[in-house]
């Protein structure tokens, strides 16, 4: 008899449900993972939940183990931590991270999981995918000692970037967000905080992650001459207007994109996706990153929780989902 599991599916935009699914028989080299926790990345996943992935990006936006297609029905997600129940001897019983959707058990190739270091709690390891995005962004941004840096947008990705920048020597780092409640998170991460109107200017580098037109415009305003904005926001199907007149050209400003789906060109020669993920998990040994997990629900509650996350009723960074034994 086939083994089964429970999975969260977006049945149609704005509506999710838990379905029972059959697990495939594991092939040689596969692992069977029992989920402990998964994480809802509020930015990208709520865009998917609302059905706002533009048709032109349906292929680019596919998650590694996605089933179905946008706008739905679709099984989507990429932050899953579990214990290997079956597979290669060196992995059985180990806690691993996988870019898998919200599902209680799953079968994947052993190469698709990354062992969680012993000094990283499983509860915190759900952040690995987002910290990996931050690693790639900083490979793209290439901050230097002594740089003046702002991170505009205190969501999950922005806070992850700020947390990593807090360890750079001699830099001035300020997290900029319209929500004054983000000040406490900035303090926990060891960086400064400012509301947009109070942010420090003359920045060498601004990392933008607010996913708002106003935030990107403010990011440009904060730059010193010849400064760079690294754009991490995903806008879905929304158009964005930018003030590229005024002093944009005379100050020789730069706007460049960064996206985790592609390795930063600065590291392609010597690093692969597995190396980047392993590094992200090593960085999660820092307990300060617990500040990015702002709520938790049982897996069974996910169909009711996801609409509240999408509407902003639950003002989460990473919302953690826990699975019963």
């Amino acid at each position: 008899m086939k083994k089964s599991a429970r999975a969260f599916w977006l049945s149609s935009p704005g509506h999710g449900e838990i379905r029972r699914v059959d697990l495939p028989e594991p092939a040689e080299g596969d692992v069977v993972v029992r989920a402990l926790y998964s994480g809802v990345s509020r930015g990208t996943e709520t865009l998917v939940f609302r059905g706002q992935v533009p048709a032109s990006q349906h292929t680019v936006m596919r998650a590694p183990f996605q089933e179905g297609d946008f706008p739905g029905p679709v099984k989507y997600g990429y932050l899953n931590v579990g214990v290997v129940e079956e597979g290669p001897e060196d992995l059985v019983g180990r806690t691993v991270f996988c870019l898998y959707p919200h599902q209680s058990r799953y079968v994947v190739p052993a190469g698709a999981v990354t062992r969680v270091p012993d000094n990283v709690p499983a509860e915190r390891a759900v952040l690995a995918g987002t910290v990996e995005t931050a690693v790639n962004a900083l490979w793209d941004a290439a901050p230097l000692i002594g740089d003046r840096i702002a991170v505009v947008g205190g969501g999950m990705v922005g806070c992850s970037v700020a947390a990593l920048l807090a360890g750079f020597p001699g830099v001035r780092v300020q997290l900029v967000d319209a929500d004054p409640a983000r000040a406490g998170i900035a303090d926990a991460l060891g960086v400064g905080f400012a509301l947009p109107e109070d942010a420090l200017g003359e920045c060498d580098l601004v990392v933008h992650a607010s996913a708002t037109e106003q935030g990107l415009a403010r990011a440009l305003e904060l730059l010193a001459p010849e400064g760079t904005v690294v754009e991490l926001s995903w806008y879905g199907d929304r158009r964005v207007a930018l003030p590229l007149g005024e002093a944009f050209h005379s100050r020789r400003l730069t706007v460049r994109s960064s996206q985790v789906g592609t390795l930063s060109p600065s590291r392609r020669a010597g690093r692969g996706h597995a190396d980047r993920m392993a590094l992200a998990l090593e960085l999660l040994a820092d307990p300060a990153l617990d500040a990015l997990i702002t709520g938790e629900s049982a897996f069974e509650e996910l169909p009711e929780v996801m609409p509240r996350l999408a509407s902003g009723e639950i003002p989460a960074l990473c919302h953690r989902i826990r699975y019963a034994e």
Side-chain angles (χ1 to χ4, degrees):
M1 189 174 71
K2 281 199 170 193
K3 294 182 180 179
S4 64
R6 292 168 301 149
F8 177 74
W9 277 76
L10 173 65
S11 51
S12 62
H15 302 280
E17 62 185 14
I18 292 176
R19 300 180 181 179
R20 187 160 291 280
V21 296
D22 288 332
L23 296 180
E25 284 296 321
E28 185 177 354
D30 283 350
V31 290
V32 179
V33 180
R34 173 174 57 84
L36 298 173
Y37 301 97
S38 58
V40 179
S41 177
R42 185 170 173 266
T44 304
E45 284 199 59
T46 57
L47 275 173
V48 171
F49 188 76
R50 292 192 297 264
Q52 292 180 323
V53 178
S56 65
Q57 298 299 301
H58 282 189
T59 300
V60 174
M61 281 293 294
R62 287 192 69 86
F65 294 100
Q66 174 180 325
E67 292 183 37
D69 297 297
F70 304 120
V74 63
K75 184 175 74 174
Y76 190 85
Y78 46 83
L79 303 173
N80 199 305
V81 176
V83 173
V84 175
E85 293 186 321
E86 300 177 37
E89 187 177 345
D90 63 332
L91 285 175
V92 172
R94 298 288 186 176
T95 302
V96 295
F97 176 86
C98 185
L99 294 167
Y100 205 88
H102 308 282
Q103 185 165 310
S104 60
R105 270 184 176 82
Y106 49 94
V107 179
V108 294
V113 302
T114 304
R115 187 184 297 184
V116 175
D118 292 340
N119 60 345
V120 176
E123 296 93 326
R124 191 187 304 149
V126 295
L127 297 170
T130 307
V131 173
E132 183 190 20
T133 300
V135 167
N136 205 60
L138 293 180
W139 282 350
D140 282 332
L144 299 174
I145 291 175
D147 272 358
R148 299 157 296 183
I149 304 173
V151 180
V152 177
M156 193 174 169
V157 171
C159 285
S160 296
V161 171
L164 299 190
L165 284 170
F168 275 66
V171 300
R172 183 192 81 189
V173 185
Q174 191 169 58
L175 182 66
V176 180
D177 197 274
D179 182 359
R182 293 287 190 261
I185 293 172
D187 185 60
L189 297 176
V191 300
F193 176 82
L195 296 171
E197 60 271 21
D198 301 324
L200 297 172
E202 293 300 301
C203 292
D204 305 289
L205 169 67
V206 178
V207 178
H208 179 243
S210 81
T212 67
E213 187 175 294
Q214 297 88 345
L216 184 51
R218 185 61 176 140
L220 286 168
E221 292 172 350
L222 295 176
L223 287 177
E226 303 203 3
T228 297
V229 169
V230 174
E231 176 60 280
L232 290 183
S233 299
W234 169 244
Y235 297 92
D237 57 5
R238 289 178 291 138
R239 290 183 175 270
V240 177
L242 274 182
L244 299 184
E246 302 175 0
F248 178 79
H249 289 287
S250 64
R251 296 173 66 218
R252 298 180 58 83
L253 305 181
T254 298
V255 179
R256 64 167 304 182
S257 66
S258 178
Q259 207 275 339
V260 71
T262 303
L263 280 170
S264 171
S266 68
R267 294 295 183 273
R268 278 182 204 160
R271 308 283 181 93
H273 289 274
D275 299 305
R276 190 178 62 183
M277 178 59 76
L279 173 59
L281 280 160
E282 289 175 18
L283 293 168
L284 279 165
D286 184 358
L289 288 160
D290 285 332
L292 275 61
I293 299 171
T294 51
E296 182 177 289
S297 301
F299 173 66
E300 291 75 14
E301 299 170 336
L302 196 48
E304 290 74 42
V305 167
M306 192 66 85
R308 297 172 64 201
L309 289 168
S311 69
E313 181 185 343
I314 300 177
L317 292 178
C318 177
H319 193 84
R320 187 167 57 208
I321 304 301
R322 68 179 180 276
Y323 295 77
E325 181 68 35

